[in-house]
Amino acid sequence: VMEQIEENHINIYKFPECDSDEDEEFKQQDRELKSAIPFAVVGSNTVVEVAGKKVRGRMYQWGIVEVENPAHCDFVKLRQMLISTHMQDLKDITSDIHYENYRAEHLAEQMKQSTRERMKLKRESMLNPGKMEDTDNLIAQKDAEIQRMQEMLAKMQAQLQTNPRTPVNGT
């Protein structure tokens, strides 16, 4: 499965390297989680009875798959990774990378829209010379807005290129 993920250039979560001061137990947990990728997870909201014990699982003709049984699926490992060992890293990546990429794309789209509006105003002013002064004022405002957005976008892109893990919005 990992070969196909790599062949098809599918981006998946990359575990950060352990700090040298981490204890050996955490490093072992981290190695086990890394080796389990991609996680094979079975989900269920049904409680079934197995050998007199109630467990969350799925019942099939051939048997029962227990959600929290490590021999059946990787749910426990995934939960451990998401909730305890790598939650802060996932939050940081979401904020620093994904949100900032979205924000940069959104600003670029706003700039394109402003440029289209400016061009439309220019065309309309050429057709109606009486509105030329109003149009010139609107164009000046749009030009200033575009300049501000371009400066913000350039700053964000430069910051992401120099250090992709540093927050761009200053938080």
Side-chain angles (χ1 to χ4, degrees):
V1 174
M2 284 303 293
E3 287 176 13
Q4 289 181 355
I5 287 173
E6 290 171 12
E7 286 172 10
N8 291 290
H9 308 289
I10 298 171
N11 292 328
I12 62 171
Y13 176 71
K14 303 271 190 284
F15 281 82
E17 293 302 318
C18 287
D19 292 335
S20 58
D21 63 343
E22 295 289 350
D23 64 8
E24 199 54 44
E25 182 181 338
F26 180 82
K27 289 179 183 179
Q28 180 60 32
Q29 272 184 332
D30 192 60
R31 283 191 292 272
E32 288 173 12
L33 289 173
K34 286 178 182 177
S35 69
I37 289 181
F39 296 113
V41 178
V42 174
S44 177
N45 60 358
T46 306
V47 175
V48 294
E49 193 167 322
V50 177
K53 185 175 152 187
K54 293 187 182 236
V55 296
R56 189 167 307 280
R58 288 185 177 223
M59 189 175 300
Y60 295 97
Q61 291 175 348
W62 45 265
I64 296 174
V65 176
E66 299 174 38
V67 171
E68 295 194 25
N69 183 338
H72 294 187
C73 77
D74 294 328
F75 176 79
V76 174
K77 290 178 183 175
L78 178 61
R79 181 178 59 197
Q80 177 185 7
M81 185 208 75
L82 291 175
I83 294 176
S84 60
T85 60
H86 291 83
M87 180 179 275
Q88 188 58 49
D89 187 58
L90 289 164
K91 284 180 174 180
D92 293 344
I93 287 173
T94 299
S95 174
D96 299 345
I97 306 295
H98 301 301
Y99 173 72
E100 293 304 335
N101 285 341
Y102 159 78
R103 187 171 167 218
E105 288 173 16
H106 184 69
L107 285 172
E109 184 57 39
Q110 282 183 328
M111 288 184 346
K112 286 179 190 175
Q113 181 66 26
S114 294
T115 302
R116 283 192 292 264
E117 289 175 14
R118 190 178 85 206
M119 297 309 275
K120 181 181 175 189
L121 286 171
K122 280 185 178 181
R123 283 192 304 275
E124 289 175 358
S125 68
M126 288 179 183
L127 296 174
N128 189 353
K131 293 185 176 181
M132 188 70 105
E133 187 176 315
D134 291 340
T135 302
D136 287 342
N137 288 337
L138 287 172
I139 289 173
Q141 289 173 358
K142 291 293 179 186
D143 284 340
E145 183 180 346
I146 287 171
Q147 182 64 35
R148 283 192 309 273
M149 287 184 194
Q150 286 173 333
E151 289 168 359
M152 285 174 54
L153 182 61
K155 179 183 173 188
M156 288 170 35
Q157 288 173 334
Q159 199 169 2
L160 282 172
Q161 287 176 354
T162 30
N163 190 353
R165 303 291 275 182
T166 302
V168 175
N169 60 2
T171 58

